[in-house]
Amino acid sequence: MSTGKELHEPLELRNNVSESALADFYNPSVPLLCTSQWDWSRIKPLEKSRGNWKEWRHYVFCALSHNGLWDYTRPDCTPPNPAIEPCAHAHWVQNDRRVCAFLCAGSSAYEMQVVVPRERGAAEYWRLLKERHTKGGPMEQLYLLLDALAVRAENEESYPAALAKGFDYVDRVSDMGPVDTDLFKQAITVHMLRERPYDQFALLEDIRRGYDTNAPFTGEHIMRFAEDRDQYRRLRAAHPTSSTTAKNRRRRAARRR
């Protein structure tokens, strides 16, 4: 004998689905958002050679957060179920595509050759950009430290402005990961050899080779390198080649004049 419950439950279920569909149609849980109020004319396009990731990221964060789109750069931002919320899902897909377009518009032509723009998957696009600009490895950290050591306060430049440049290099080094004492020793030695480009280049090659073979060039290796170079210079001084002798003769002749 039927109690009417069998008829009541399907009807209630249908009503709930209908209400959910109406709510999704008239008031979807994901609104359609845009970044039209922000443009890229106020900041240089992202490019690794410019070293402008920090400034660029800040601009992107402000622009996307202002429009409620920053969460789309996070991997835990997932779309609604299209079977239950088709309108909200469609809006999510459009928002995701707009974030991708915004990131692409802010990248230089060269940058787009390295990190190919995406039409969807803003979180993955952001991850690739971030990884490229913040995980360069110890060699990139070394070059940034050298840039920091090369900063000078020019006559027309204020001290705070010069310090800001140097500190920015150091911050970028720190963002890439921990820095050990060997890296500082490498930077100091390479900087010390700035007047000897051949020795400087040879040392950089040894350092790079060490990282490539997973055998970092330590302070002990640097001392051996310095000793070898000193010995080589003494040998050249004691046994000059014909070309060196000719150069010395020309120098002495120039002094007599």
Side-chain angles (χ1 to χ4, degrees):
M1 181 176 177
S2 175
T3 61
K5 186 177 181 181
E6 296 83 351
L7 297 175
H8 178 69
E9 286 182 347
L11 179 60
E12 184 180 42
L13 181 60
R14 286 197 300 272
N15 287 338
N16 288 338
V17 171
S18 178
E19 290 174 4
S20 174
L22 287 173
D24 177 61
F25 182 79
Y26 288 108
N27 188 25
S29 61
V30 178
L32 196 59
L33 304 170
C34 67
T35 59
S36 59
Q37 297 179 2
W38 295 76
D39 62 74
W40 289 105
S41 61
R42 293 181 291 175
I43 189 172
K44 291 182 179 179
L46 177 66
E47 188 169 310
K48 193 167 186 178
S49 61
R50 293 192 178 111
N52 61 339
W53 165 258
K54 188 176 179 180
E55 178 187 8
W56 190 87
R57 183 200 179 282
H58 178 71
Y59 182 82
V60 170
F61 172 76
C62 292
L64 296 183
S65 296
H66 180 80
N67 292 282
L69 289 166
W70 174 250
D71 284 346
Y72 285 83
T73 64
R74 298 167 55 90
D76 56 355
C77 182
T78 56
N81 189 331
I84 300 175
E85 299 180 273
C87 290
H89 180 270
H91 287 179
W92 190 97
V93 171
Q94 285 290 334
N95 292 340
D96 179 73
R97 185 176 292 119
R98 290 177 180 185
V99 173
C100 288
F102 186 73
L103 298 178
C104 175
S107 301
S108 70
Y110 176 77
E111 193 71 21
M112 287 188 283
Q113 296 295 323
V114 181
V115 180
V116 179
R118 301 172 65 94
E119 295 182 359
R120 60 182 178 179
E124 177 64 11
Y125 193 2
W126 180 258
R127 185 192 69 79
L128 292 172
L129 290 172
K130 182 179 179 181
E131 188 173 89
R132 167 169 162 75
H133 290 269
T134 61
K135 296 183 179 180
M139 281 305 297
E140 188 153 348
Q141 287 178 304
L142 173 59
Y143 283 119
L144 287 172
L145 285 175
L146 292 173
D147 286 334
L149 291 171
V151 171
R152 296 289 184 272
E154 304 295 341
N155 293 333
E156 66 277 4
E157 187 176 32
S158 67
Y159 289 164
L163 283 173
K165 287 182 181 178
F167 289 173
D168 180 63
Y169 286 126
V170 175
D171 288 340
R172 288 164 60 189
V173 171
S174 178
D175 290 341
M176 290 182 181
V179 180
D180 57 22
T181 55
D182 285 329
L183 189 60
F184 280 115
K185 291 176 181 178
Q186 293 166 7
I188 291 171
T189 309
V190 173
H191 181 70
M192 184 182 68
L193 295 174
R194 61 190 180 278
E195 301 296 333
R196 299 181 179 276
Y198 293 108
D199 291 344
Q200 188 184 59
F201 180 77
L203 177 59
L204 284 169
E205 285 295 295
D206 285 347
I207 293 172
R208 181 181 294 279
R209 192 178 302 111
Y211 285 122
D212 289 343
T213 58
N214 201 26
F217 208 72
T218 65
E220 183 180 352
H221 293 113
I222 293 174
M223 291 301 294
R224 291 177 185 171
F225 173 89
E227 291 168 356
D228 290 342
R229 288 288 155 170
D230 266 355
Q231 186 174 4
Y232 176 72
R233 289 167 57 196
R234 285 195 296 269
L235 286 172
R236 287 203 37 128
H239 307 284
T241 61
S242 57
S243 60
T244 304
T245 304
K247 288 180 182 178
N248 291 336
R249 287 173 182 167
R250 287 195 294 270
R251 288 172 184 166
R252 287 195 294 268
R255 292 195 196 101
R256 293 194 196 100
R257 298 194 195 107

